[in-house]
Amino acid sequence: MTRTRDEIELDLPFFVNGTLDAETRAEVEDWLARDGGLQAEVGALAAIRERMQAEDVRSPGEFGLARLMRDVDRARGRQQTAGPLYQKPWVWQVAAAMAVAFALGQALLPNASQPERFEVAGAPSVMMASATLTVAFQPDATEAQIRALLLDNGAEIVGGPSALGLYQLSVTDPADADAVAEALRAAGTIVESVANADP
């Protein structure tokens, strides 16, 4: 496979990272042996990569990007005399993209020192304290029948089903809990059992 110098240039960041396949790597190495400009480009990319790995980058925020661009401008000023490499804007775009990718990787790694900020739904600490009744519905009761019965009696499901198929219900007005329980018991085709919820 014979490619142009410009095509080889595009592979240089991957060459520096060691991610090219054997055939492409051999072709890049062949070009490097013949082209001093490509050698200088590889040297610059390798230096950028080494510096990025040596620094403890925490965030790709505006401050980090501004610092990177300041360093890039300094490097460009020092090495302007090295040839056309440092006049190519895409080299610095690649360097900036590598820095942002590295910083994002650092930011996205899980931090074991941070406490968990979630709870499993249905865990006892998440159950609503307003549950007043524990209900088991008939196995053949439809969702529409259950919903209509609960709406008519001012009750709503706040937990369940448990492993035994029990639901926790909350009553809109706790003073009506006994009346709601009696109404649910009377709907024997929909409700199998009703009991007061455990405190």
Side-chain angles (χ1 to χ4, degrees):
M1 171 167 63
T2 303
R3 294 185 300 149
T4 66
R5 183 183 190 281
D6 288 340
E7 291 173 323
I8 294 297
E9 270 187 319
L10 295 176
D11 281 339
L12 294 183
F14 306 104
F15 176 82
V16 170
N17 284 338
T19 56
L20 292 177
D21 60 70
E23 181 182 352
T24 308
R25 184 173 186 80
E27 190 175 9
V28 171
E29 288 172 346
D30 182 51
W31 271 92
L32 288 174
R34 297 180 281 133
D35 192 317
L38 290 178
Q39 291 174 9
E41 212 163 315
V42 165
L45 290 172
I48 291 170
R49 182 176 186 274
E50 184 177 329
R51 181 167 182 184
M52 283 173 40
Q53 290 180 338
E55 291 185 5
D56 185 16
V57 180
R58 292 288 182 191
S59 169
E62 291 181 14
F63 177 76
L65 182 58
R67 181 177 171 197
L68 172 68
M69 295 311 294
R70 181 198 66 204
D71 292 346
V72 166
D73 288 339
R74 283 184 186 166
R76 182 182 295 157
R78 285 195 306 265
Q79 299 174 355
Q80 195 73 351
T81 58
L85 166 66
Y86 300 102
Q87 297 169 0
K88 296 182 181 180
W90 70 265
V91 172
W92 303 113
Q93 292 169 353
V94 169
M98 290 171 60
V100 169
F102 178 77
L104 281 174
Q106 292 291 322
L108 296 177
L109 287 175
N111 188 346
S113 65
Q114 291 183 348
E116 293 183 4
R117 295 186 179 161
F118 64 89
E119 294 185 49
V120 177
S125 63
V126 179
M127 297 290 285
M128 293 182 65
S130 60
T132 53
L133 300 173
T134 301
V135 177
F137 295 105
Q138 294 288 356
D140 58 348
T142 66
E143 181 272 335
Q145 290 173 318
I146 294 171
R147 181 169 17 103
L149 178 65
L150 295 180
L151 288 173
D152 289 344
N153 290 285
E156 65 178 336
I157 296 174
V158 294
S162 68
L164 299 175
L166 301 177
Y167 291 84
Q168 300 295 317
L169 300 186
S170 173
V171 178
T172 305
D173 185 357
D176 294 339
D178 292 336
V180 171
E182 288 305 317
L184 294 178
R185 285 187 190 98
T189 59
I190 301 172
V191 176
E192 185 176 295
S193 67
V194 178
N196 288 336
D198 291 332

